[in-house]
């Protein structure tokens, strides 16, 4: 009897009986004992057994079930004596079932242990193998191995005995032998992961679910240059290769604006030191969180702080003191985060990131010493590529499960304390949307149209088996999974809560009208219940905006609505239930975090604890010229927000009918001008009002005026210092000028060869400078919209410095040709410091003017997860504001 390879074929009738759950297999044994009169089953007995056990489970009519049953009976009755061997029937149905290999072996041992003594004789062992293999060969229509070969394998189980005559083998030794014998284990493997028969993928038609699956499947890809510029920890060799090519000024073609530099140096310009400015940057507050790239990433610490990712920063927010602390060791967007609360209330956090060679960082929320902030314990790297999709703590907190974001979505299991990678495997070509440990030696991964159950084999290996949806559910996107006592629960795109026993779905309950996006299980505190594998309760969240609570018997109790809390989006992103303090932490897809009462469902803080932009990208940012604690933002989520930085809240918010790209305050602070449109390069489409702009009242954000002379995105917008002129720069290569008294057009500045990106007014309101994306710097007369020469502008004083190149910014180009693009620039009100923000998530501070060409020094800060789209000073220069293009955080 040789080893088998591949996956077993089955006759058409037998396919209907594959992957039966453990409970059904044991019901077949009980029905056999109740119905049959002997070990030879007649057709009517055979049909009665499968009717009793399988009719309801398979949901077949009696006529259809009898027809299939007769076909299988005929297959097993190969000698045409109108009888089948009951043990052959039971053993083969067991082997092609959905039970684990150990469960199958244990069951087969039991049905051949005729005297229930717990041991098998040599003859019983031979009969067991011969009967089981014979039945399997019949169902697969393949030749049966020689009886002598089967006997030889059976006798090997007694190989450690001097004589097999009268010998017995115990159940545990039988299991050990079957698992370790290459021949026997190969047969179990051959029939071990059968395709589900008649299973069709369910399309729930939930567009919000499709949105989450798209976001959960999307890989944040980084180029080699981005990797070198962003990952200061692991990209040293790549950066060195870029440096080896030589200085950028020696190998790169000069841009058009550089030819103007000799004409722009101001008369009597002072000598500025090449050293970095004397500034000390520290992150004071992060607005928003990574709601669109991850789910179930908002959690409590053991001491009641709120823990979540914002850009490349792990945030620990103390609600009582209204203070944020930060873990800032990541170099790219945090894509997953899980907390492990220890018995002493200290909290370990594992977070994974995007990037070519992504890291998993294990850190504490409170530091190793009292009063300390977050502290990094371990950095795990080297296995995954192009991003981490999921992380999960083992039940004892000693192991860390990680899932890659691309390719076969490889899984890794780390002993994190020793930084040892103990197991790796390919998981699925389909995206994995959640992962969790369900037992000390078992974990689950789930995602697009699949659930996989992994169980430990040997010292450190884990074997994967497909979850069997059976007749209780259908393959579909599975967005979340959690252990619930001895069973596993998964949230389905259809809104059903699926209950899994082993790897079989045994029950499916309609829980929500939308896809289930988040689950949180409340553990029991009673030691007896905990030992018995119980759970105290559950909460589930969905794209329907409902938060449903469940008791320990999985009976639905109270339901709450996210919309009652005031969230913009109704999609629940994260849930965490603190039953001791009667509160639930709710994260929404629209980047809001609420704290609600678990019995009455009211908002415990009259507004979100955290809020921010949430969809597509954010470009627009400006500080109020009159209120030091006020700034405004706009994004492609169509929202205009005015913020109070002293209270870290949104003072006013309005949703537009078109994506917005840029924003500016009027000099008196009473109006806001917003440029509309969608910038190519994202995941949306052109907007109906691309090229329009709106003027809003600062007091209530009502529309004062709306204009449109361009058909393409408005990329930059600014008022003149006296407030009399509004300049609007567009991707159509023009700058439009308007009189703010009646919004009549003054003129159109034509001449750019590229898309206009930035513009500034002169202090005397008479001139404008503008830059485009092909490296041009042009100058215009405000009153006529006519172009001016660079030579005539050399001593012009500019009210702002948002243009990213010019004489005063020569030194910011960078030493090497590394693909860096300066997205934004700003000068302090005092005129001594320049800040730039680039596509490598770097905020840099320079002395102003940064005109030296021999690479002046700078101070640098990182925190965003990707490109920084905009930056500015507040009116008194006490703070710097930045906007993350990809992470949507401020």
């Amino acid at each position: 009897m040789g080893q088998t390879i591949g996956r077993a074929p089955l006759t058409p009738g037998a396919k209907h009986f594959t992957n039966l759950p453990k409970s059904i297999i044991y019901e077949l044994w009980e029905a056999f004992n109740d119905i049959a009169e002997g070990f030879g089953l007649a057709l009517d007995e055979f049909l009665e057994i499968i009717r009793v056990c399988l009719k309801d489970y398979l949901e077949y009519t009696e006529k259809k079930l009898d027809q299939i049953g007769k076909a299988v009976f005929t297959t097993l009755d190969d000698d045409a004596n109108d009888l089948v061997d009951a043990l052959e029937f039971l053993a083969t149905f067991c082997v092609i079932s959905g039970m684990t290999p150990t469960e199958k072996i244990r069951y087969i041992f039991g049905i051949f242990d005729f005297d229930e003594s717990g041991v098998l004789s040599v003859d019983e062992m031979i009969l067991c193998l011969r009967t089981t293999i014979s039945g399997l060969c019949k169902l697969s229509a393949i030749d049966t191995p020689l009886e002598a070969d089967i006997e030889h394998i059976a006798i090997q189980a007694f190989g450690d005995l001097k004589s097999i005559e009268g010998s017995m083998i115990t159940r545990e030794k039988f299991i050990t032998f079957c698992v370790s014998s290459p021949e026997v284990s190969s047969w179990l493997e051959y029939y071990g992961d059968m395709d589900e028969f008649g299973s069709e993928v369910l399309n729930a038609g939930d567009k919000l679910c499709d949105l989450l699956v798209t976001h959960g499947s999307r890989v944040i890809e980084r180029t080699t240059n981005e990797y070198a510029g962003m990952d200061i920890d692991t990209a040293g060799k790549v950066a060195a290769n870029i440096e080896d090519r030589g200085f950028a000024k020696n190998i790169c073609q000069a841009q058009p604006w550089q030819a103007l530099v000799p004409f722009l140096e101001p008369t009597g310009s002072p000598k500025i030191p090449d050293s970095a400015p004397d500034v000390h940057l520290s992150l004071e507050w992060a607005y928003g969180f990574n709601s669109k790239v991850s789910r179930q990433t908002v959690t409590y610490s053991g001491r009641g702080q709120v823990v979540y990712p914002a850009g490349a920063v792990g945030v620990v927010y103390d609600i009582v003191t209204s203070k944020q602390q930060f873990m800032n060791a990541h170099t790219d967007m945090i894509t997953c985060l899980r907390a492990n609360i220890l018995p002493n209330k200290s909290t370990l956090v594992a977070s994974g990131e995007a990037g070519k060679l992504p890291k998993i960082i294990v850190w504490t929320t409170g530091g190793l010493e009292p009063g300390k902030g977050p502290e990094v314990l371990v950095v795990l790297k080297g296995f995954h590529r192009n991003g981490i999709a999921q992380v999960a703590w083992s039940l004892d907190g000693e192991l860390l499960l990680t899932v890659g974001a691309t390719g076969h979505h490889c899984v890794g299991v780390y002993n994190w304390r020793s930084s040892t990678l103990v197991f790796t495997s390919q998981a699925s070509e389909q995206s994995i949307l959640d992962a969790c440990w369900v037992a000390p030696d078992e974990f689950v991964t789930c995602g697009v149209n699949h659930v996989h159950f992994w169980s430990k084999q040997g010292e450190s290996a884990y074997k994967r088996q497909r979850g069997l949806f059976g007749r209780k559910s259908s393959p579909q996107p599975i967005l979340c999974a959690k252990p619930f006592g001895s069973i596993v629960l998964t949230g389905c795109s259809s809104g059903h809560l699926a209950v899994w026993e082993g790897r079989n779905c045994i029950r499916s309950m309609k829980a929500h009208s939308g896809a289930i996006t988040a689950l949180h299980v409340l553990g029991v505190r009673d030691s007896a219940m905990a030992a018995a594998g119980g759970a105290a309760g559950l909460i589930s969240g969905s794209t329907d905006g409902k938060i449903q609570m469940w008791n320990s018997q999985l009976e639905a109790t109270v339901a709450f609505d996210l919309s009652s809390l005031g969230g913009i989006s109704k999609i629940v992103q994260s849930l965490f239930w603190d039953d001791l303090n009667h509160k639930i932490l709710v994260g929404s897809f629209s980047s809001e975090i609420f704290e609600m009462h678990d019995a009455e469902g009211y908002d415990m803080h009259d507004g979100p604890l955290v809020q921010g932009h949430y969809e597509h990208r954010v470009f627009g940012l400006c500080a109020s010229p009159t209120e030091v604690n006020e700034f405004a933002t706009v994004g492609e989520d169509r929202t205009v927000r005015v913020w109070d930085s002293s209270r870290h809240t949104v003072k006013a918010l309005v949703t537009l009918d078109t994506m917005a790209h840029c924003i500016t305050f009027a000099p008196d602070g009473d109006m806001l001008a917003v440029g509309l449109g969608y910038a190519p390069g994202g995941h949306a489409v052109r907007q109906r009002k691309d090229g329009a702009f709106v003027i809003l009242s600062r007091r209530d954000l009502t529309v004062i005026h709306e204009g449109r002379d361009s058909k393409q995105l408005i990329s930059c917008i600014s008022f003149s210092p006296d407030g009399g002129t509004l300049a609007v720069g567009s991707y159509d290569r023009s700058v439009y000028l308007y009189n703010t008294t009646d919004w009549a057009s003054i003129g159109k500045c034509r001449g750019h060869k590229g898309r206009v990106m930035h513009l500034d007014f002169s202090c005397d309101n008479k001139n404008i400078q503008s830059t485009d994306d092909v490296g041009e710097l042009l100058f215009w007369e405000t009153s006529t919209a006519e172009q001016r020469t660079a030579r005539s502008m050399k001593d012009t004083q500019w009210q702002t410095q948002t243009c990213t190149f010019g004489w005063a910014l020569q030194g910011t180009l960078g030493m090497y040709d590394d693909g860096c693009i300066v997205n934004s620039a700003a000068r302090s009100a005092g005129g001594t410091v320049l800040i730039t923000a680039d596509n490598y998530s770097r905020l840099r501070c320079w002395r102003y003017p940064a005109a030296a060409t021999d690479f002046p020094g700078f101070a640098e800060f990182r925190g965003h997860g990707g490109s920084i789209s905009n930056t500015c000073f507040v009116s008194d220069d006490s703070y710097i504001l930045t906007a993350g293009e990809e992470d949507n955080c401020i």
Side-chain angles (χ1 to χ4, degrees), residues 32-211:
F32 157 71
N33 286 305
D34 292 340
I35 296 171
E37 296 183 0
F39 286 102
L41 293 178
L43 177 61
D44 59 341
E45 292 175 315
F46 180 84
L47 294 179
E48 183 62 22
I49 290 172
I50 64 173
R51 286 189 203 117
V52 169
C53 301
L54 298 176
K55 181 182 177 183
D56 291 341
Y57 175 78
L58 294 177
E59 299 178 352
Y60 288 173
T61 64
E62 187 170 311
K63 180 179 179 180
K64 181 178 180 179
L65 187 60
D66 285 353
Q67 182 181 1
I68 298 167
K70 288 176 183 178
V72 174
F73 184 90
T74 300
T75 301
L76 294 174
D77 181 22
D78 61 342
D79 56 4
N81 67 349
D82 295 327
L83 292 174
V84 299
D85 185 337
L87 295 181
E88 185 178 80
F89 149 58
L90 293 169
T92 53
F93 271 45
C94 167
V95 174
I96 66 174
S97 76
M99 294 195 294
T100 66
T102 300
E103 289 172 338
K104 293 176 182 179
I105 297 168
R106 190 179 297 275
Y107 175 86
I108 291 173
F109 181 95
I111 65 175
F112 285 92
D113 181 15
F114 300 121
D115 59 1
E116 300 182 1
S117 62
V119 294
L120 295 183
S121 66
V122 176
D123 290 339
E124 288 172 331
M125 180 72 175
I126 295 173
L127 178 65
C128 169
L129 290 185
R130 186 172 59 204
T131 302
T132 304
I133 292 172
S134 172
L136 292 172
C137 291
K138 292 175 183 179
L139 294 185
S140 294
I142 59 177
D143 293 334
T144 305
L146 297 175
E147 288 195 13
D149 292 339
I150 297 175
E151 289 182 13
H152 177 72
I153 297 298
I155 291 172
Q156 288 181 4
F158 302 85
D160 60 341
L161 301 175
K162 293 181 179 180
S163 172
I164 65 170
E165 187 173 345
S167 297
M168 299 289 183
I169 185 171
T170 64
R171 178 185 290 107
E172 294 309 315
K173 284 190 175 182
F174 178 80
I175 294 172
T176 301
F177 168 74
C178 292
V179 171
S180 60
S181 167
E183 291 84 0
V184 177
S185 62
S186 72
W187 279 80
L188 289 170
E189 191 73 26
Y190 194 45
Y191 291 91
D193 198 14
M194 309 297 293
D195 289 329
E196 290 200 73
F197 180 75
S199 179
E200 296 183 0
V201 174
L202 175 68
N203 182 2
D206 186 339
K207 292 184 179 180
L208 295 179
C209 174
D210 294 342
L211 175 66

Side-chain angles (χ1 to χ4, degrees), residues 549-696:
M549 305 183 73
W550 308 77
N551 63 21
S552 60
Q553 303 303 311
L554 284 182
E555 297 168 333
T557 57
V558 183
F560 305 113
D561 198 325
L562 178 59
S563 62
S564 68
L565 303 178
I568 296 176
S569 169
K570 66 178 184 179
I571 300 176
V572 177
Q573 190 261 11
S574 294
L575 289 172
F576 194 105
W577 186 2
D578 178 2
D579 65 317
L580 287 180
N581 294 298
H582 302 289
K583 57 187 182 180
I584 299 173
L585 197 62
V586 184
S588 75
F589 181 73
S590 48
S591 195
E592 297 144 331
I593 300 176
F594 296 93
E595 208 172 41
M596 62 181 291
H597 194 274
D598 68 354
E600 300 179 27
Y602 61 82
D603 183 356
M604 300 178 69
H605 300 279
D606 296 324
L609 297 170
V610 175
Q611 56 190 315
H613 291 277
Y614 64 96
E615 198 170 14
H616 303 297
R617 298 165 297 175
V618 173
F619 292 96
L621 169 70
C622 65
S624 170
T626 57
E627 299 288 339
V628 69
N629 293 320
E630 185 174 281
F631 65 94
T633 59
V634 294
E636 291 179 346
D637 61 2
R638 296 179 172 85
T639 62
V640 179
R641 302 169 189 246
V642 178
W643 303 80
D644 182 342
S645 60
S646 63
R647 301 177 58 195
H648 310 299
T649 58
V650 172
K651 298 169 68 172
L653 183 150
V654 67
T655 301
L656 305 175
D657 59 358
T658 299
M659 291 182 179
H661 189 86
C662 53
I663 189 169
T664 187
F665 276 96
D668 60 5
D670 288 342
M671 291 188 299
L672 286 162
V674 179
L676 306 181
Y678 169 73
H683 300 280
V685 296
R686 288 195 62 182
Q687 301 293 291
R688 184 172 59 87
K689 290 186 178 180
D690 273 2
F693 68 92
V694 293
I695 308 299
L696 304 177

Side-chain angles (χ1 to χ4, degrees), residues 27 69 217 459 483 578 600 609 796 806 811:
E27 284 181 24
S217 305
E459 288 296 318
D578 178 2
E600 300 179 27
L609 297 170
T796 300

